[in-house]
Each structure stands twice: as C-alpha cells, then as structure tokens.
Amino acid sequence: MGILMKDNVGSGSKEDSCITDFECVDVEKDEAFRKNPFMCEHSVDHYYYLLPRAKRSRIFRRKKPPTVIPSQSTSQKKGLKIRISLKRKTIEAVDEDLSMEKNKTGTLLDEKQSKLEDREKKRRKIKPIIDPPVLPDELKEKILGMGVQISQVKLVIQKALYDTDLSYQHMRLSIPLNQVVSKDFLTPQQKMVLETRDIVSNKKNKIQFNLIDPSLEQTKIHLAKWDMNKSSNYVLLNDWMEVAERNKLKSGMVVQLWSFHQHLIPWLALVLVPQ
C-alpha cells in the first residue's frame, strides 16, 4: 500500500492547496492523490519545485541533517595523547636546560666578581709609598764605575708588584704610562720605534735594554709598549721571569726602575725597596 504525506489544512484546488504539516495517509483512498499523481513518498521534493515560486516559501522544507563529525578512532586518540605528552616533556626539558645554563652563567659571573674584589682588596692592602726614591749606595758606585754621572739617572717608576707581574701566564712587568715619573726617560727616536710595527708579524717593535737587577747582576731585557682599551703600558719582556726568580720577588714588594744611558746605550736598573 502506498503512503502519501497529506496536508491537514483541508481540501482545495491544486493551485490553492499548501503543504505545511504532513501526515501519513492511505494513498489508494486519498482523493487528492488521484487528482495529483505526482504526490507520493518519493516525489514530495520534486513537487515542491513544480509549484510556483510565490507558493514555495509556504511549503514545508526539510531541515538538513546535522553534520556529524566523525569520532576519532582509538589509535588517533592514543597518538594525540602521545604527541601532547612528548611536547610537554620537551618543554620541561628545555626549561630545565635553560635554568641550568642560567645558574651556570650566574655562578661564573659571581666567581669573576669575587676574583675582581679579591684583587682589589690585595691592592688596597699595599701601603702607599711615602719615602722619596733614593738610589742605593752600591748601585751608585756601580753606575759611577761605568762612567755615568748620577745626575743623569732618572726614575722611571716606583710601584708595588702584583700577582700579574709575577705570573707565568703574563710573563711581564707592567709599567703604566700614567705612573711613569720621568716621561723623557726614552728619546724621541726610541718612542717612535715603539710605535712602529714589524712588517712580518705586524707586532709593535721592542727595544733592547741592559738591566742591572737588585743583586747587581747584568742581563738583557726588552721594553715594549702595549695599547689597552683605555690606557697604554710599557712592559718588560723576555728574561723578566728569570730576574724575578733570581731575586725572589713576591707580590706586594715595592720596586724602583731607573734609567740612564752609557755612550748612547740604554740601561735600566731595578731596585728592591726594603720594608
């Protein structure tokens, strides 16, 4: 038996009838179906498009079925959980590494600051030198015996020795330019030589001096000029560490460096100030 969706409003002509609310009716007994054979269970949608446009808005429209989102399978859910877990662990590992790196950097900065403070403390412990520099009598006799007048001897610097002056890592005696007493202990020609560079190594040239150490022994030593970021220093190089070991120099000792010329030959004399 066929089934027909019939309007509950009532009978009427084909043009005046309107399908709004549908109910199931017996097709064989329904008079409207005999008059309009297009109305059957499979032709309702087709009948809607056969009506005039003015009456289409009054026809019952079937609602579109709701869009069903396919549910994720168990394997997909498990894979998603694994990815989320791995992402969380990765973030935690990165955070831990950053924290360790930050702590390590902070520790290194603290150690560097502590070393700088210790160095400053050591420098403060060294008492300022008040007594005027005086040549020892033995050194005076040696210089006079070389045919040089004492009045020609000039004081270069009087300073306390620091750890860096006796370190094998630095291997030099630092002479800051701003602490040099006699600015003219070098001739203009010697100053020009210290400013020039070697063609091969591109390093600044050095000047060789004869040195008289505190034990009155003579040796060869080189003087160079090093330019720092904010200052410049003269430095004694090469055999300086041998001089320091031979005379048992230690950090905190006060030394004097004197300069003179013997027949245009440059000389330096190192004096250990008694304390």
Side-chain angles (χ1 to χ4, degrees), residues 62-113:
R62 294 179 180 177
K63 295 182 180 180
K64 294 182 179 181
T67 303
V68 179
I69 301 175
S71 59
Q72 295 179 341
S73 62
T74 306
S75 61
Q76 290 176 339
K77 290 182 180 179
K78 187 176 181 180
L80 181 60
K81 289 181 179 179
I82 293 174
R83 288 195 296 272
I84 294 174
S85 177
L86 289 175
K87 184 177 181 181
R88 187 182 297 112
K89 291 181 179 180
T90 304
I91 293 173
E92 292 176 356
V94 171
D95 292 340
E96 184 178 357
D97 291 342
L98 290 175
S99 178
M100 292 176 62
E101 189 68 23
K102 186 177 180 181
N103 294 335
K104 184 178 180 180
T105 305
T107 304
L108 292 176
L109 291 175
D110 293 340
E111 291 179 357
K112 187 175 181 180
Q113 185 66 24

Side-chain angles (χ1 to χ4, degrees), residues 73-218:
S73 62
T74 306
S75 61
Q76 290 176 339
K77 290 182 180 179
K78 187 176 181 180
L80 181 60
K81 289 181 179 179
I82 293 174
R83 288 195 296 272
I84 294 174
S85 177
L86 289 175
K87 184 177 181 181
R88 187 182 297 112
K89 291 181 179 180
T90 304
I91 293 173
E92 292 176 356
V94 171
D95 292 340
E96 184 178 357
D97 291 342
L98 290 175
S99 178
M100 292 176 62
E101 189 68 23
K102 186 177 180 181
N103 294 335
K104 184 178 180 180
T105 305
T107 304
L108 292 176
L109 291 175
D110 293 340
E111 291 179 357
K112 187 175 181 180
Q113 185 66 24
S114 178
K115 289 181 180 179
L116 290 175
E117 291 178 356
D118 293 341
R119 186 179 300 174
E120 291 296 329
K121 288 180 181 179
K122 289 181 180 179
R123 290 186 176 182
R124 294 192 195 102
K125 290 180 181 179
I126 299 175
K127 297 180 181 179
I129 303 164
I130 301 175
D131 298 335
V134 178
L135 279 173
D137 295 336
E138 294 179 355
L139 182 59
K140 285 182 181 180
E141 293 177 2
K142 188 173 184 63
I143 293 175
L144 290 172
M146 297 169 61
V148 180
Q149 298 295 326
I150 300 300
S151 59
Q152 297 177 0
V153 182
K154 300 177 181 180
L155 177 66
V156 179
I157 191 173
Q158 179 171 287
K159 62 167 289 183
L161 295 176
Y162 298 113
D163 292 338
T164 53
D165 294 322
L166 305 171
S167 170
Y168 273 95
Q169 183 178 359
H170 298 83
M171 300 184 68
R172 88 287 182 276
L173 174 65
S174 176
I175 307 172
L177 262 68
N178 56 2
Q179 298 181 24
V180 173
V181 178
S182 301
K183 306 294 183 181
D184 58 345
F185 81 97
L186 293 174
T187 63
Q189 292 79 10
Q190 289 174 333
K191 292 181 179 179
M192 187 179 298
V193 170
L194 293 177
E195 293 294 339
T196 59
R197 292 182 178 272
D198 184 73
I199 300 175
V200 179
S201 63
N202 197 31
K203 294 181 180 180
K204 283 192 172 182
N205 291 317
K206 300 176 287 186
I207 300 175
Q208 181 175 290
F209 280 78
N210 295 321
L211 176 69
I212 304 174
D213 66 14
S215 60
L216 300 181
E217 291 189 17
Q218 299 180 13

Side-chain angles (χ1 to χ4, degrees), residues 48-69:
Y48 168 78
Y49 291 104
L50 292 177
L51 291 176
R53 186 177 297 277
K55 293 185 178 182
R56 288 182 184 180
S57 60
R58 298 169 60 188
I59 300 300
F60 173 78
R61 292 179 175 83
R62 294 179 180 177
K63 295 182 180 180
K64 294 182 179 181
T67 303
V68 179
I69 301 175

